[in-house]
Amino acid sequence: MELWYKKPAAYWEEALPLGNGRLGAMVWSGVEQEKISLNEDSLWSGYPQSHDIPGAEKYYEEARRLAREKKYCEAQALIEENVLGQYTQSYLPLGELILDMVHPEGEVSDYRRWLDLEKAMCGLRYSVGNVSYAREAFVSAPDQVMVMRISADKAGKVSLRAGYTCQLRATVSTEDGCMVLDGIAPSQVDPSYVNSEDPVIYEEDPKKKGMRFCAMLSIRQKGGTVTELPEGLEVAGADSVTLYLAARTSFNGPFCQPFLEGKPYRENCLKDLRAAGESDYDALAARHVEDYRTYFDRVRINLGAGREELPTPERLADWDQDVDPARYALLFQYGRYLLIASSRPGTLPANLQGIWNQHLRAPWSSNYTVNINTEMNYWAAETANLAQMHEPLMEFLDNLRVSGARTARTHYGAGGFVAHHNSDIWCLSNPVGNRGKGTAVYAFWPLSAGWLSAHAYDHYLFSGDEEFLRRTGYPIIRDAARFFLDVLSETEEGKLIFSPSTSPENNFLYGGKRCAVSETTTMTMAIVRETLGNAASCCRILGTDSRFLEELEEALGRLPSYKIGARGELLEWNEELEESEPAHRHTSHLYPLYPGREISVEETPELARACARTLELRGDESTGWALAWRISLWAHLRDGERAYRILKKQLRPIDGSSPLNYMAGGGCYPNMFGGHPPFQIDSNFGTCAGIAEMLVQSTEKSVTLLPALPKAFGTGMVSGLRARGGVTVDISFRDGKLEKAVLTGTMPREREFTVCYGGSRKQIRLAGEERIVLTEVDF
């Protein structure tokens, strides 16, 4: 299974991504010049700082009073003027490895480059005159290096000069046979959307200095010579060469100053390089592939015949036609590949661009956008059988509890922890916006700790790992719930709400003005309800905190119900308000349908119909990540054809060589990166999750087979998908109907649940690792 092309990358979104969770590379595969764009997941601007605003609590309380009096615009102005702090820091590019190639005279022919998803390796073959050349590259997790082999079919024909380029403050040198890039990151990088006279700042005060970083390259050749130059390495007349590249930063955790308290980055980088250099290319490649396939091979999928003989851009060109269903299997597995490549145990979580970023001031700082995008990055982690890739998010949340506890006390006078719509490597938790007018629509959203804590509970539901729940999951969920309990306030009807609130990142019209702050919102209360419910379940499972459980149950009984509007839609705010942008990209108020599990066609049909009406009013056009969300929403409404209609748009080609249009429809770039546009990896991950949700859905007590199978997926199979309750699901289907399903247990204890298919239900029990086989006749 591969992406392949007949010509080199002409721009970044045509290059092919490699990664080991920490070290990322974009391979361009030029003939005369190979360019490899490098990233390291901990290379960010800045250093630990607190941007909480002392005294913010009193303004929050005043804003709550104004919102309760329906003085929404006044409440928003008060928030924007008094409680919005500094922006996050930015994820940065490490640099570029440049290989200037020397060839014999002759025409270039037989060019082909590819990315092999089953081996996590990219390759290139071409001929110049009568000499055939080959390149192969991968980024190894076991050995923590990028490796590239360059060879020719005739002796002595591999010659090149290697060098670095870098947008940051850095020097290049050669020492002991290594080419070294050594630099320092800025102390401050303002977001690209902020007008700033000096957006990139390097401080001289050691307490304010940024991250140190380095990359080291060594070359092992067969035949020929390698010569050290002042700023590079030169190979002449080799039969083949193997390049080893390692990179490290001084990042030592979110609360350590990276310049004064940083890790020994150069020593660790050299250690990686020397250890890898003890093995030849074949041994490194074998370890890499074996490690990678332990994850990738867990899931197999076949959705029908494809046109693999066509290069990828040609396969995408007729995206709107019902041909080549194998494209969707490729898109699904590409999402899994990217998650393995950008989020491994021991690394940082995947950011807005995974680990691949070319910009000094990346779109939206390539940060952790936690009002949807970071969460969407991990929607497929459990269902697509990559639970280990979820671990970096759990570690991040554990750290976010520390900074978020300070923000909860300072901004809300509450216990527990809070985070808003943005965070970064330093676990920033304050609302950003820098007191800007109109920024509350995205910046004032203190719900992300609750949403993110649902990932910890889901990790438990899929695994049944009570030790994880006790040690890691429950403290996160408990503290998110504690914050909500402390900020809930009573309405005149005796209900408890979180007020004031916004619905990301949408406005309504009120008194002839655009406004974002209301009394409360549907998404707010959905996340509060889910978080309190998850915390209560944890107390029961672990047999702990009985008084806290009583408090949770009392609050859960007083939360308001959802409301349906005059057009039959689920209301987004606490009252019927006119939308300023009816086709808005966010579908935040549909959270309880998905990723939540509170609304369903079977259990709450009236609310499900309201969700469908909401989606119809929103429309089928949006940004890439928003389309990805709509796939799963329609799948949970059991409408496979509508989900498929949205899914097709994710293959719609985006030309990255044209000027950026943020308002253009979503789709994918030539390398199949998802586009907002610009590139955001949540589109890839959300689409991967959406395809899984079309094939299998689950709750704590049920597994639904083929809930939203479109006609275009008429005959096929999927194996290895995961369901809650510790179940692995294999399904084959023919002509749109279930052929066979095999459910395999993965937890030692026996459990009972319902298997649903085509409107029918069957109760089953799984004892330990037992396998149960079902066919259509069983329903």
Side-chain angles (χ1 to χ4, degrees):
M1 182 173 279
E2 65 181 25
L3 287 65
W4 75 274
Y5 306 81
K6 290 182 177 180
K7 58 183 180 180
Y11 52 90
W12 191 84
E13 292 85 357
E14 287 187 328
L16 295 175
L18 299 172
N20 66 359
R22 182 185 65 83
L23 179 60
M26 295 290 288
V27 183
W28 294 57
S29 298
V31 173
E32 300 300 326
Q33 183 184 83
E34 175 65 273
K35 180 161 62 174
I36 302 172
S37 303
L38 300 169
N39 290 99
E40 207 275 355
D41 72 340
S42 63
L43 183 53
W44 290 63
S45 62
Y47 51 92
Q49 300 178 72
S50 174
H51 296 302
D52 294 335
I53 299 176
E57 177 189 355
K58 67 178 181 180
Y59 295 107
Y60 158 69
E61 293 175 349
E62 176 63 11
R64 180 167 59 190
R65 181 188 66 79
L66 291 170
R68 297 293 287 276
E69 295 174 0
K70 299 192 183 301
K71 296 178 180 179
Y72 296 147
C73 294
E74 291 90 335
Q76 179 168 334
L78 185 72
I79 288 169
E80 290 172 347
E81 291 167 7
N82 297 283
V83 303
L84 303 186
Q86 294 296 312
Y87 293 99
T88 68
Q89 291 302 320
S90 297
Y91 180 57
L92 301 170
L94 173 63
E96 291 178 326
L97 173 63
I98 304 296
L99 305 176
D100 291 314
M101 314 299 296
V102 179
H103 297 101
E105 292 186 4
E107 295 292 323
V108 177
S109 61
D110 302 324
Y111 181 97
R112 190 182 193 273
R113 65 182 175 105
W114 65 90
L115 174 63
D116 185 336
L117 299 187
E118 294 172 286
K119 294 182 179 179
M121 300 175 72
C122 69
L124 166 65
R125 293 190 185 279
Y126 63 94
S127 296
V128 179
N130 64 349
V131 182
S132 294
Y133 290 89
R135 300 178 205 161
E136 294 178 324
F138 58 90
V139 180
S140 169
D143 290 288
Q144 290 296 306
V145 289
M146 188 197 79
V147 184
M148 174 176 275
R149 180 169 63 184
I150 304 172
S151 60
D153 67 348
K154 290 183 171 56
K157 295 298 182 181
V158 176
S159 298
L160 60 88
R161 179 175 290 191
Y164 290 118
T165 65
C166 183
Q167 299 180 60
L168 309 178
R169 284 188 179 175
T171 60
V172 178
S173 62
T174 54
E175 47 193 79
D176 298 326
C178 292
M179 184 175 75
V180 180
L181 174 73
D182 192 325
I184 188 166
S187 305
Q188 171 71 34
V189 175
D190 291 338
S192 59
Y193 50 82
V194 172
N195 292 323
S196 175
E197 293 183 1
D198 194 6
V200 179
I201 298 173
Y202 290 87
E203 297 280 5
E204 296 305 320
D205 180 350
K207 295 179 181 179
K208 297 181 179 181
K209 281 193 172 184
M211 195 94 64
R212 301 299 305 269
F213 66 91
C214 71
M216 296 184 180
L217 177 81
S218 66
I219 299 177
R220 179 184 296 177
Q221 88 281 11
K222 180 180 179 182
T225 60
V226 177
T227 303
E228 290 187 27
L229 303 176
E231 294 186 350
L233 297 173
E234 185 173 60
V235 177
D239 303 335
S240 65
V241 297
T242 301
L243 283 66
Y244 302 76
L245 185 137
R248 289 284 177 178
T249 77
S250 63
F251 180 66
N252 198 20
F255 310 120
C256 291
Q257 213 290 339
F259 187 81
L260 295 176
E261 304 170 299
K263 286 185 177 179
Y265 68 107
R266 285 180 64 102
E267 295 88 335
N268 287 335
C269 190
L270 186 58
K271 180 180 177 181
D272 291 338
L273 195 66
R274 286 177 172 169
E278 295 177 1
S279 299
D280 63 15
Y281 177 86
D282 290 335
L284 290 167
R287 281 199 295 271
H288 159 73
V289 172
E290 181 182 11
D291 169 79
Y292 169 74
R293 295 191 73 161
T294 60
Y295 301 114
F296 187 80
D297 287 356
R298 293 173 181 175
V299 176
R300 294 172 55 239
I301 186 170
N302 185 335
L303 300 177
R307 300 174 296 170
E308 289 84 357
E309 73 279 3
L310 296 179
T312 299
E314 291 183 27
R315 292 185 73 183
L316 301 178
D318 56 358
W319 63 273
D320 56 342
Q321 302 299 309
D322 292 330
V323 296
D324 195 359
R327 292 182 297 192
Y328 305 106
L330 179 65
L331 191 60
F332 172 79
Q333 291 287 41
Y334 191 43
R336 296 183 68 245
Y337 164 80
L338 292 172
L339 187 57
I340 298 168
S342 62
S343 182
R344 289 277 196 125
T347 73
L348 293 168
N351 62 50
L352 203 58
Q353 295 179 222
I355 53 172
W356 301 280
N357 166 45
Q358 65 174 322
H359 300 288
L360 181 58
R361 297 177 72 195
W364 302 288
S365 302
S366 194
N367 62 18
Y368 298 118
T369 307
V370 286
N371 68 358
I372 171 63
N373 313 92
T374 301
E375 291 88 346
M376 184 179 284
N377 282 0
Y378 289 93
W379 281 355
E382 303 292 339
T383 55
N385 212 334
L386 295 172
Q388 290 87 344
M389 310 313 153
H390 221 161
E391 292 180 19
L393 184 65
M394 305 305 161
E395 184 176 350
F396 176 75
L397 294 182
D398 208 32
N399 286 322
L400 193 59
R401 288 171 58 219
V402 177
S403 52
R406 294 194 298 264
T407 303
R409 290 192 299 270
T410 303
H411 281 250
Y412 301 94
F417 86 112
V418 65
H420 294 78
H421 101 292
N422 270 179
S423 190
D424 57 20
I425 196 173
W426 312 113
C427 290
L428 179 142
S429 54
N430 62 270
V432 303
N434 200 21
R435 294 182 167 89
K437 185 176 181 181
T439 55
V441 67
Y442 60 83
F444 182 70
W445 192 74
L447 276 299
S448 64
W451 188 345
L452 289 163
S453 75
H455 283 255
Y457 189 61
D458 236 19
H459 188 66
Y460 162 75
L461 290 179
F462 278 89
S463 67
D465 186 348
E466 286 193 17
E467 181 58 30
F468 161 80
L469 190 65
R470 181 177 290 105
R471 183 184 68 255
T472 302
Y474 176 55
I476 293 168
I477 298 163
R478 177 199 63 210
D479 289 0
R482 178 73 268 163
F483 171 76
F484 289 151
L485 288 172
D486 287 356
V487 297
L488 289 174
S489 60
E490 189 173 19
T491 68
E492 293 180 357
E493 297 79 20
K495 299 293 184 180
L496 295 177
I497 63 171
F498 189 164
S499 178
S501 190
T502 62
S503 189
E505 300 169 8
N506 206 0
N507 286 290
F508 54 86
L509 299 176
Y510 196 75
K513 298 179 180 179
R514 283 168 59 93
C515 191
V517 174
S518 67
E519 190 171 4
T520 194
T521 75
T522 296
M523 186 188 214
T524 295
M525 297 314 302
I527 292 176
V528 169
R529 181 179 281 106
E530 180 181 62
T531 305
L532 300 188
N534 289 347
S537 294
C538 289
C539 291
R540 298 186 194 101
I541 293 165
L542 299 174
T544 190
D545 293 347
S546 57
R547 290 185 179 179
F548 183 47
L549 176 59
E550 291 177 4
E551 190 177 358
L552 291 164
E553 290 175 333
E554 194 275 336
L556 282 164
R558 297 177 63 191
L559 301 180
S561 302
Y562 302 123
K563 298 177 182 179
I564 297 175
R567 297 175 294 173
E569 83 280 21
L570 193 70
L571 287 187
E572 186 164 2
W573 295 278
N574 57 284
E575 60 180 303
E576 195 143 3
L577 297 165
E578 183 182 356
E579 297 166 307
S580 63
E581 187 184 344
H584 191 72
R585 62 195 177 278
H586 285 256
T587 46
S588 303
H589 46 317
L590 301 190
Y591 181 96
L593 174 65
Y594 183 86
R597 300 182 297 282
E598 189 180 356
I599 295 176
S600 70
V601 171
E602 295 81 8
E603 303 296 330
T604 56
E606 184 180 12
L607 289 173
R609 286 193 294 272
C611 291
R613 179 61 177 150
T614 299
L615 284 173
E616 290 168 355
L617 293 169
R618 274 287 200 264
D620 288 351
E621 273 300 342
S622 198
T623 60
W625 65 264
L627 292 175
W629 195 350
R630 283 161 167 78
I631 295 168
S632 287
L633 289 168
W634 281 115
H636 278 258
L637 291 169
R638 306 293 191 259
D639 193 335
E641 297 309 316
R642 197 66 176 267
Y644 174 65
R645 195 162 88 188
I646 306 294
L647 175 60
K648 288 199 293 187
K649 294 179 185 294
Q650 296 296 66
L651 294 177
R652 181 169 48 193
I654 298 173
D655 182 3
S657 65
S658 301
L660 189 61
N661 181 1
Y662 286 79
M663 303 308 293
C668 69
Y669 290 98
N671 64 3
M672 292 187 71
F673 271 170
H676 181 288
F679 161 54
Q680 285 186 200
I681 206 165
D682 45 23
S683 178
N684 293 98
F685 294 144
T687 300
C688 177
I691 293 171
E693 297 295 326
M694 294 168 74
L695 299 171
V696 175
Q697 294 174 19
S698 67
T699 68
E700 293 89 329
K701 299 179 180 180
S702 67
V703 176
T704 302
L705 307 175
L706 304 180
L709 187 70
K711 292 178 182 178
F713 295 177
T715 298
M717 59 75 64
V718 64
S719 65
L721 293 183
R722 296 276 293 151
R724 293 170 181 85
V727 181
T728 301
V729 183
D730 304 341
I731 305 175
S732 61
F733 49 92
R734 181 169 297 279
D735 298 327
K737 295 182 179 180
L738 176 67
E739 194 170 55
K740 184 173 73 172
V742 180
L743 285 76
T744 305
T746 59
M747 296 194 302
R749 66 174 182 271
E750 183 180 78
R751 56 260 188 236
E752 180 177 338
F753 54 93
T754 304
V755 180
C756 308
Y757 170 71
S760 299
R761 300 180 172 213
K762 183 177 180 63
Q763 294 295 121
I764 69 169
R765 286 179 179 270
L766 270 181
E769 298 181 1
E770 182 183 1
R771 298 171 75 243
I772 293 179
V773 179
L774 301 171
T775 65
E776 187 180 15
V777 298
D778 292 307
F779 295 92

